[in-house]
Amino acid sequence: MGTARLYAAVAAGGFRRYATYRAATAAGVFTNTVFGVIIVSTYLALWDERPHLGGYDQTQAVTYAWLGQALYSTLAIQGGGAEKDLMARIRTGEIAIDLYRPADLQLWWLATDLGRSMFQLIGRGVIPFTFGALVFDMALPTDVTAWAAFLVALLLAMLVSFGIRYLAALGVFWLMDDRGISQAVMVTGVFFSGMLLPLNAFPGVLGDLARGLPWAAQLQMPADVLMGTSGALGAYVFQAAWAVALLAAGRLVQQAATRRVVVQGG
C-alpha cells in the first residue's frame, strides 16, 4: 500500500505540474481545435471522393479526426511527455540522483507520465472533442458501456505510448544527445499512429505493417473501440501485448543503460 501511495503521489504531482501552465493549455486547446477543423475539412473532401475509405463512413472519419486532436497531447504522439525530462536528466548526469531514490526508475517515470496524460486529456482534449461533436456530425455511441470500453483502451494506449517513449529516452545513455531521437519519435509517432490518416486506409503491405506496429495501439485501437468497428477484446489483447513487450524491453535496456551513467564534472 505504501508503494501504491508513492506512485499515486508521483502521478498527482505530474498532473499538478502541467495544470500550472494555463496559458499553454489554452493555446493548445485553440491549436487543436483549429487543426481539427482543417483536418476534418480535408477528410470530408477525401471521403466525398472515396466513400467508405478504410471501412469508415464520413461521420466515423470525422469522429476519428476529432479523437486524434483530443489524444494528440494526451498520448504525446509527437513526443513531449515525461521522456523529455528524462532525456535531459540523462544528458546532464542528474539521472544519478534518480537512481538513488528508494523507488523504481521506470515506475517513477510511468507514474509521472500518466499524471501528465490525465491532465492533457481533461485540460486539452475534452474541449476540442466537444466542439467537434457540437459542430460536426460524429459517430458517437449512446451506450455507457461503449464509453467504458473506450476508457480501458485509452488507458492501455497510455501504457503503450509511454513504453515507446521510455525506450527512446534510454537511447540518450549511448548517444548523449536527444535531438535525433526526439525527431525520430515525432516522425514515427505522427505517421504510424494514424494522426495523418486512419491506418485502416493505408494500402497493401504498408497498411498491414502499420496496423501491426505498437503505434496502432495509440489512436487506431481506441477509435475503433469507441465507434464499435472492432471488438474491444481483440483491441485489448493487441494493446496489452505491446504494453507488456515494450515495458519489459524498457526494463532490460534500463538495466544495461544505467551502467553508463555519466555525471558531468565527475
Side-chain angles (χ1 to χ4, degrees):
M1 290 298 294
T3 301
R5 284 196 298 269
L6 169 64
Y7 295 117
V10 173
F15 185 98
R16 288 194 302 270
R17 174 189 173 187
Y18 281 84
T20 61
Y21 300 112
R22 298 175 183 175
T25 300
V29 168
F30 176 78
T31 301
N32 286 126
T33 303
V34 171
F35 270 96
V37 172
I38 294 172
I39 293 172
V40 165
S41 300
T42 304
Y43 276 18
L44 289 175
L46 177 59
W47 260 259
D48 277 338
E49 294 295 324
R50 296 285 304 276
H52 302 290
L53 176 65
Y56 288 167
D57 59 27
Q58 271 197 345
T59 58
Q60 290 172 324
V62 169
T63 304
Y64 182 95
W66 283 112
L67 189 61
Q69 293 306 304
L71 299 185
Y72 178 75
S73 294
T74 300
L75 300 176
I77 288 175
Q78 193 173 335
E83 84 284 351
K84 293 296 291 184
D85 292 333
L86 177 56
M87 288 177 179
R89 295 182 72 81
I90 295 171
R91 191 177 64 250
T92 62
E94 293 177 282
I95 190 68
I97 299 173
D98 300 337
L99 295 173
Y100 275 110
R101 288 190 181 121
D104 182 84
L105 184 68
Q106 187 183 47
L107 291 179
W108 179 281
W109 287 102
L110 173 58
T112 300
D113 198 62
L114 288 177
R116 179 205 60 81
S117 295
M118 292 305 299
F119 172 76
Q120 296 289 22
L121 175 63
I122 298 169
R124 189 167 168 174
V126 171
I127 294 177
F129 191 78
T130 302
F131 173 86
L134 292 175
V135 176
F136 297 90
D137 291 330
M138 292 172 61
L140 298 177
T142 57
D143 188 357
V144 175
T145 57
W147 286 99
F150 165 72
L151 291 177
V152 174
L154 180 55
L155 176 59
L156 290 170
M158 291 178 183
L159 295 177
V160 172
S161 173
F162 172 78
I164 294 171
R165 290 178 287 112
Y166 188 72
L167 272 171
L170 293 177
V172 180
F173 275 104
W174 285 270
L175 298 179
M176 297 304 296
D177 188 273
D178 64 293
R179 286 171 294 182
I181 294 175
S182 296
Q183 288 296 313
V185 168
M186 179 185 71
V187 172
T188 55
V190 171
F191 185 79
F192 285 111
S193 69
M195 275 296 301
L196 299 177
L197 191 69
L199 300 181
N200 293 343
F202 281 29
V205 175
L206 176 61
D208 294 337
L209 174 64
R211 288 187 292 271
L213 293 174
W215 290 274
Q218 292 180 286
L219 176 56
Q220 188 68 60
M221 291 298 170
D224 286 341
V225 169
L226 179 64
M227 294 185 289
T229 55
S230 70
L233 182 59
Y236 295 164
V237 170
F238 179 85
Q239 290 178 296
W242 272 117
V244 170
L246 289 167
L247 293 175
R251 176 72 58 175
L252 293 174
V253 175
Q254 173 186 303
Q255 291 174 356
T258 50
R259 301 190 186 99
R260 300 183 59 86
V261 175
V262 175
V263 179
Q264 298 287 16

